[in-house]
Amino acid sequence: MDKNRIAVIGFSAGGHLASLMALSNNNNVKAFYPGRKKTNFKIKLCLDFYGPSDFETLRGHEIKDAKSPINILLGATVADRPDLAKAASPVTYVDKNDPPFLIVQGEKDESVNPDQSVLLSARLKKAGVQNELIIVPGAPHYGVMFDAEFIRKRIFYFLDAYMK
């Protein structure tokens, strides 16, 4: 395995984790690694499908129900633990040394508001990181609308362009 040619991909919560890993990889956040030891590898590309990027602005962050997905992940509400919300938010780790991103988001996503992907793309752009945001017209949080020829072509383009 070539530790310098790794791409990560994820959908929804997996998109969050792929983004979090790709963006924090060069920040040496030891708490994110087994045994709190950073693994020596480089992520060259992230393919993020509708993953949350900022828990403080994610739809539903204000819900007090202990069984809400955000509260389960954080173990508390965002209001009670903004420090955890920030640490778990991929946008926290954006910097100029991050890998390129292809971000795909549904226009009518009922779970992860499209502003999450717009924010991530804008932060990456501001840092000078190559990224592309595709908003899929009329698409919900997941489904067959994401299995489209133009999206597959963009995925293969990004893999071809950045995994050399």
Side-chain angles (χ1 to χ4, degrees), residues 22-140:
L23 294 168
S24 68
N25 185 249
N26 64 345
N27 292 296
N28 200 21
V29 183
K30 292 180 180 159
F32 290 174
Y33 297 94
R36 301 205 183 267
K37 288 182 137 184
K38 186 172 182 319
T39 307
N40 187 20
F41 61 85
K42 180 174 174 62
I43 295 173
K44 293 206 51 163
L45 175 65
C46 183
L47 307 169
D48 169 17
F49 283 73
Y50 42 86
S53 63
D54 180 15
F55 286 107
E56 291 184 307
T57 61
L58 179 64
R59 181 184 303 131
H61 78 275
E62 67 287 341
I63 295 174
K64 303 289 185 201
D65 180 2
K67 294 183 185 199
S68 83
I70 299 169
N71 297 344
I72 289 171
L73 174 68
L74 299 178
T77 65
V78 171
D80 290 339
R81 292 298 308 268
D83 59 320
L84 290 178
K86 183 176 181 180
S89 295
V91 295
T92 300
Y93 305 99
V94 171
D95 65 49
K96 66 181 173 126
N97 299 311
D98 291 325
F101 266 69
L102 175 62
I103 306 163
V104 183
Q105 174 73 49
E107 176 190 34
K108 303 217 180 227
D109 192 324
E110 69 287 352
S111 298
V112 176
N113 39 307
D115 291 347
Q116 292 286 300
S117 292
V118 171
L119 173 66
L120 178 57
S121 178
R123 294 268 180 96
L124 290 166
K125 185 176 185 176
K126 184 176 180 186
V129 176
Q130 174 63 39
N131 77 94
E132 181 177 329
L133 172 61
I134 298 172
I135 302 288
V136 181

